Amino acid sequence: YTTLMNKVFQIWARPKLDILAPPPHSTGGAVDLTLINSDGTAVEMGSSIDAMPPHCYPDHFENAGDAIGKEAHQNRELLRSVME
C-alpha cells in the first residue's frame, strides 16, 4: 500500500489541511485529455489515461525505438502544443 501511495503522490497533490487550498485533481481543477481521430477513436498515447509512472511522464516515449512509441510521442507533443 505504501509503495502505491508513493507512486500516486508523484503525480497527485497531497491533501492539505487548509480548506481554501484543496488539491486540484480531487476538486475538478485538473482535467484528463486525449486526442481523437476523425472517426472519434482515441489515438495512440502510449499508455492508459490512468497509467502510473514512468509511462505518465509527457516525454516518456521521446526516444522510443518502436513505431507505437514514436506515434505516442508525436501525439503527446501535438496535445501539448494544442494546450499551450
Side-chain angles (χ1 to χ4, degrees):
Y1 175 80
T2 302
T3 302
L4 174 62
M5 292 310 295
N6 287 337
K7 288 180 179 181
V8 168
F9 286 134
Q10 288 179 20
I11 60 170
W12 191 61
R14 292 184 184 271
K16 298 176 182 159
L17 296 177
D18 182 356
I19 62 171
L20 298 177
H25 277 84
S26 61
T27 60
V31 179
D32 292 328
L33 299 174
T34 195
L35 299 173
I36 59 172
N37 62 23
S38 60
D39 298 331
T41 305
V43 301
E44 181 63 58
M45 298 301 276
S47 61
S48 67
I49 199 145
D50 291 325
M52 296 299 290
H55 289 96
C56 67
Y57 294 113
D59 294 331
H60 177 75
F61 295 100
E62 183 174 21
N63 298 312
D66 60 81
I68 292 176
K70 288 178 181 181
E71 180 183 357
H73 181 68
Q74 289 174 344
N75 290 333
R76 289 179 180 203
E77 287 294 298
L78 175 60
L79 179 60
R80 181 187 328 217
S81 71
V82 169
M83 289 172 53
E84 288 174 347

